[in-house]
Structure formats: structure tokens, C-alpha cells
Amino acid sequence: AAMSAAWSPFFAAGESGAIHDAVVGDDECAAGEDCALNALQLRARSAADPASGDGEPLIAEALPAWDDPSKLGGPAADPSEELGASTEVGYHHHHHSGGHGGAYCESHIEEERCGLYKHCRGMPYCVFGNYMVVPGKPCPGMESINGGNAHSYDYLFGVARSFCGFRGCVLMTNPVGHRTQDQLHIHFRHSIKSGPQMQASLEAATCHQDGWVHFNPHCCGCGHSKARAFSGRPGVFSEVAKAFGGGSLANVGISVWFGCGKTIILATTHCSIEHSVSVR
């Protein structure tokens, strides 16, 4: 593919290490977990029409791993502190980590929590480490998505699906209080641990039902959760936004599964299922 003259996928000395640190420190990287990557890959769609996915992707060579990667950012904020006692899905803005709103990283780009945004800004999207899709425009996380703009982010799940879109894959994004990077990102991984069992339960609950159904993940301290099976390729953020009334999705985590010939969306609240169903 032709390389855009406006952007190069290769970074100045020292920058690739910073990106690697951002990736390995992302999200719910548990203490003691081996988060080192064997390679870091960046892919970016040409800017022709990012929302529709048109245009050829720009692909950078894999970058080498670093011997002593350091985690980026502190632990995710305590959800009870971040979100208060409310069980309603809504965004309560605080100064705590994981709760930055608006375009925080545009004005704090050198902060560790803004590493993903810093190294993807201006691109339609990037793919880091062969498991994470990141938009190039400033978007701290789920608190930035609502019924009015969800459609403009739907393409990101389409990108993630293009990397892992078959049975045994799970695509995930985490809510406020369950991340260490203040830039929206979607994980695409193979489900393991309790993942296959959760998928079987999701299929049993949704495959022969119309509309959204209540679903209990039986893990992770999740609040109210719901699931739905769709034929074809739904606009994931758009469908979840409609299911929650069109307001902010700050406290909502989304996972996408593939089974019974359908696309199954699980929308959980106040939790992350990431480390229960996958590993790096």
C-alpha cells in the first residue's frame, strides 16, 4: 500500500519504547502478570474515509520488544470511589485517574495516561501489539460515547472484528474506573479461562431470543448487564447506546462474541470481564 506523505509509521529513537510501555501498562494489567509483548505492530487506515473503513491500511513493520518494559499509569481507580454509590449508568466526573472527560489528553499529551493518544493522534485508527484498536481522535473512553455520536465509533469494532471475528474470539472495551489509559481502545483476543463457559451461557440466553435479555456474567462484580444476539454485523456502540437510553456509556463495558451464526453483544456495568475471559 502506498505510504501517506503526511504520516510515517516509524518513530524517532525512544518513541517506540514509549508506545510499548503504553501498551503493556494498559487497562487491567494485573500485578505480577507478564505483560511483555514479543512485538509491537501499528496499523493505520488511510484517511480517505475512516468511518466507513474505505481505503488501504498502512502497515508498519513489527517493532522489537524491550527487555525491561515498565507499566504505564497507575492502577485503575476504585470503581466505588470513581462512580459513587449510584447504580445508574451515567458519568460522574471526578479528578481521579480513569475519569478524565472531554479532550484531556489533547492538553496533557505528555502524561503517561495519554500514551496511546500521543502515538495515534491524527490517524483514523491504530492497531497496537496485534490485540488493540485505538482511534486517532481524542476520546478518553466510554464516557465520551452516547446515543448522539455512537455511530461515529462503530467502525472501530469493525476493525477489531477484521483481526479476530470468529468463534473463540472476544472483542472488549472497558468502562471508567477500569483502565489506565485515557484513550478509548478495543481489545481483540482469543477467549480462555472462563471465556468458553461465558460464551456458552450467552448463546443459550440469546441465540433463540429477540431483543435484549438480562444476563448475569457471574464474575467481576458486575452490575446490571444485558445481552443480545444479532444477525449480520451490528453497529456495536450504536446498539448499546440505544439499549441504555442514549445517555453516556461511561459505566458500560462491552464485549462482542461470535456464535450460533450470530454476533452476540454483552453490555455489562461497573466492571471489567477482561481478565476473566482472556490473557495477553
Side-chain angles (χ1 to χ4, degrees):
M3 195 69 68
S4 167
W7 178 83
S8 170
F10 301 100
F11 305 98
E15 286 198 7
S16 56
I19 301 170
H20 179 262
D21 289 349
V23 172
V24 300
D26 159 62
D27 264 26
E28 299 254 311
C29 188
E33 181 182 2
D34 181 8
C35 293
L37 301 175
N38 292 325
L40 174 66
Q41 184 180 49
L42 172 71
R43 296 169 185 257
R45 182 76 65 179
S46 68
D49 189 0
S52 67
D54 292 340
E56 293 295 321
L58 299 177
I59 302 175
E61 296 294 330
L63 300 175
W66 286 262
D67 292 335
D68 185 23
S70 59
K71 293 181 181 180
L72 184 60
D78 181 347
S80 63
E81 180 182 24
E82 178 71 35
L83 303 171
S86 172
T87 58
E88 296 293 321
V89 175
Y91 181 47
H92 305 280
H93 183 84
H94 290 279
H95 67 279
H96 306 300
S97 296
H100 297 304
Y104 178 83
C105 283
E106 286 187 289
S107 57
H108 297 78
I109 197 165
E110 296 302 327
E111 288 197 13
E112 291 179 337
R113 299 186 66 83
C114 297
L116 292 181
Y117 172 67
K118 176 181 179 179
H119 295 291
C120 191
R121 60 179 170 160
M123 294 306 302
Y125 70 82
C126 301
V127 177
F128 292 120
N130 283 322
Y131 73 85
M132 182 194 300
V133 178
V134 180
K137 63 182 178 181
C139 177
M142 294 297 288
E143 66 271 29
S144 299
I145 301 177
N146 55 60
N149 64 14
H151 67 281
S152 69
Y153 294 97
D154 284 336
Y155 78 98
L156 295 168
F157 268 107
V159 173
R161 181 173 185 149
S162 74
F163 283 87
C164 198
F166 47 87
R167 186 179 183 85
C169 290
V170 57
L171 320 178
M172 299 169 286
T173 187
N174 291 318
V176 165
H178 296 272
R179 67 181 194 233
T180 62
Q181 282 288 297
D182 284 329
Q183 178 69 357
L184 178 70
H185 45 280
I186 298 173
H187 297 259
F188 54 90
R189 301 187 180 280
H190 296 284
S191 67
I192 59 171
K193 296 182 178 179
S194 65
Q197 180 180 352
M198 188 174 294
Q199 171 150 352
S201 296
L202 283 165
E203 291 178 5
T206 66
C207 285
H208 302 292
Q209 299 291 329
D210 293 325
W212 291 91
V213 299
H214 172 74
F215 184 81
N216 186 350
H218 295 292
C219 79
C220 317
C222 296
H224 173 68
S225 303
K226 58 181 75 176
R228 180 176 177 179
F230 293 82
S231 298
R233 299 185 175 221
V236 175
F237 285 118
S238 293
E239 293 295 342
V240 173
K242 287 190 290 186
F244 283 92
S248 170
L249 295 180
N251 300 334
V252 179
I254 299 174
S255 58
V256 177
W257 311 71
F258 307 98
C260 60
K262 297 183 177 182
T263 301
I264 303 172
I265 300 177
L266 171 61
T268 55
T269 61
H270 305 285
C271 68
S272 168
I273 67 169
E274 178 188 343
H275 286 283
S276 292
V277 303
S278 70
V279 295
R280 295 181 192 274

